[in-house]
Amino acid sequence: MCSCRVPSPPSQPSVQPPKQTCSVVRPAVSATGLTRNSTRTEGFSQLGVSGHSGKLRLDVCTEELLEALNKFPGSESVRLYVVDTVKIRRAGVYEQTGSEPNFEGGLGTLCTCKHQMRSRYSTESWASGVWVLGLTGLSRWRRGEQPFYYLMRIAQAYESQADLFQALEAQGRLEVLTAKDSRTSQLGDIFAPKRPLSNESRFKPDNYHPPMDGHAHSHADNPFGWHNDIFYDGTSHTGPPLLVGDPEYTFVWTRPIVRRRNPYPIRDYEKWTLSRLRSVILGIDE
C-alpha cells in the first residue's frame, strides 16, 4: 500500500507517520472540486489549489471504460495496488490525501512512491503498453466490493528526475512543471535540477534543488527523505523509472463508480493482463 498521506487536522488525534512516508501537516482536502466530465478536468488539485485543465478522463462509467480498453491487446500488463491514502467520505466522495498518484497540471505521474513496483520494468518496458490500476481499500464503501480510484496507461517513462524535467521543458509543458514542482508544492513530485544533467550526475541529490519546507518527503525527522526520489538504493544503478500516463487513457474517479465485486485481497504490485481486468470489471473473474 502507498504510504503517502496527509495527517488529520490538529483537532483530531495525531498519528506519527512511519519513516520515509509521504506526510504533510495540512488538513485533508477532498477532490470535490473536480469537474465531472469524462474527457477533461478543470481545476483538479490534490490540495485544493487551482490547477490546469487537461484531458484526463473523469468519472467514466463501466461501459465507457470497457469501450476504451477494448482498443488494446488483452495481453498488455496491468500492475495494481491499493492507494492507501484514498478515503471515501460523506456522500461517497473520495478524499485523496497523498502525493501519488499525482494529477496536477492535467497529467498523471507516478514519480515519488511505489519505488519497488516501478522497478519491476525498465523504462522501455513501462512505455510499451503497461497499465497501473489504483484501488481503494476493501470495505471502504460497500462490504464485499472494491472501487477503482485510477487507471492509467503509461505513455512515457524516464530514468531520472532530470530526464523528466528536461523532457517536459522541451515539450513546452511549463504548466505541468509549475503544478508539480516540489519547490512550490508540498505534494509536488518533480524535483528541478540545478543545471542540465547527464550520466551519473542525474542520480546525485546535491545536483537538485531541495523541496520547499514542509514537503511530503522532507519531514523534520527525515529531512532528506526526498533523496530516495532522486536515487532509490537497492533497485539498480539508476533507480526505478518515473512514469507518465497518457492523458487520453488516464481514468480518475471521484466516487465509487467502477469496482471489483466480491474481491479477494490482492498482493501488493499484483500483475494482471488487460483481458483479466476486463473480466474483473464485468464481474466474471473474481
Side-chain angles (χ1 to χ4, degrees):
M1 295 183 181
C2 186
S3 57
C4 309
R5 65 181 68 234
V6 179
S8 302
S11 60
Q12 301 179 11
S14 61
V15 178
Q16 183 66 29
K19 188 176 182 180
Q20 294 186 351
T21 58
C22 315
S23 303
V24 177
V25 184
R26 289 185 61 168
V29 179
S30 75
T32 53
L34 286 165
T35 302
R36 286 181 171 77
N37 180 290
S38 64
T39 58
R40 294 180 64 84
T41 62
E42 301 288 340
F44 178 89
S45 176
Q46 297 186 217
L47 285 179
V49 180
S50 179
H52 301 272
S53 63
K55 296 181 179 179
L56 307 183
R57 302 177 71 170
L58 186 66
D59 284 344
V60 303
C61 63
T62 298
E63 292 75 14
E64 186 175 350
L65 177 60
L66 287 170
E67 182 181 357
L69 299 184
N70 286 336
K71 299 177 182 178
F72 299 94
S75 58
E76 291 194 345
S77 297
V78 181
R79 285 285 182 177
L80 59 151
Y81 69 99
V82 172
V83 186
D84 194 41
T85 53
V86 171
K87 314 298 180 182
I88 300 179
R89 302 306 189 191
R90 290 177 297 178
V93 175
Y94 290 155
E95 184 175 65
Q96 161 66 310
T97 60
S99 64
E100 297 283 29
N102 191 300
F103 301 109
E104 298 288 346
L107 185 68
T109 49
L110 195 59
C111 302
T112 58
C113 287
K114 317 312 292 182
H115 299 82
Q116 293 183 19
M117 183 186 75
R118 290 187 281 120
S119 69
R120 294 293 195 273
Y121 299 109
S122 65
T123 53
E124 294 79 10
S125 296
W126 272 113
S128 65
V130 179
W131 299 72
V132 177
L133 169 63
L135 299 159
T136 67
L138 289 169
S139 303
R140 289 188 179 171
W141 179 57
R142 179 182 296 167
R143 185 175 298 277
E145 295 188 347
Q146 187 174 29
F148 290 19
Y149 172 54
Y150 83 100
L151 172 68
M152 69 179 181
R153 189 174 193 266
I154 305 306
Q156 294 96 32
Y158 298 90
E159 286 189 347
S160 71
Q161 285 278 348
D163 293 331
L164 173 57
F165 188 96
Q166 291 162 13
L168 291 173
E169 194 173 45
Q171 295 163 12
R173 304 173 84 171
L174 301 183
E175 76 283 356
V176 175
L177 286 174
T178 299
K180 295 178 180 289
D181 194 332
S182 62
R183 293 174 294 180
T184 55
S185 171
Q186 285 183 304
L187 296 182
D189 65 341
I190 291 181
F191 293 83
K194 295 177 180 178
R195 60 182 183 280
L197 303 175
S198 61
N199 301 322
E200 294 303 314
S201 66
R202 298 173 295 162
F203 307 104
K204 296 180 178 180
D206 288 346
N207 292 329
Y208 290 82
H209 293 284
M212 66 177 291
D213 291 342
H215 185 270
H217 286 191
S218 184
H219 303 296
D221 61 341
N222 187 22
F224 302 109
W226 64 278
H227 287 190
N228 279 333
D229 302 323
I230 307 301
F231 177 74
Y232 188 72
D233 192 22
T235 55
S236 69
H237 71 285
T238 57
L242 283 64
L243 309 181
V244 177
D246 181 342
E248 186 176 357
Y249 296 104
T250 298
F251 305 88
V252 185
W253 289 271
T254 64
R255 53 196 172 91
I257 296 176
V258 180
R259 50 196 174 272
R260 298 173 68 201
R261 298 171 176 84
N262 302 313
Y264 62 86
I266 63 169
R267 301 187 306 274
D268 212 8
Y269 320 142
E270 189 162 324
K271 180 182 177 180
W272 290 355
T273 63
L274 197 59
S275 289
R276 183 177 180 189
L277 176 60
R278 293 173 188 147
S279 297
V280 168
I281 293 171
L282 290 170
I284 59 177
D285 183 14
E286 282 290 1

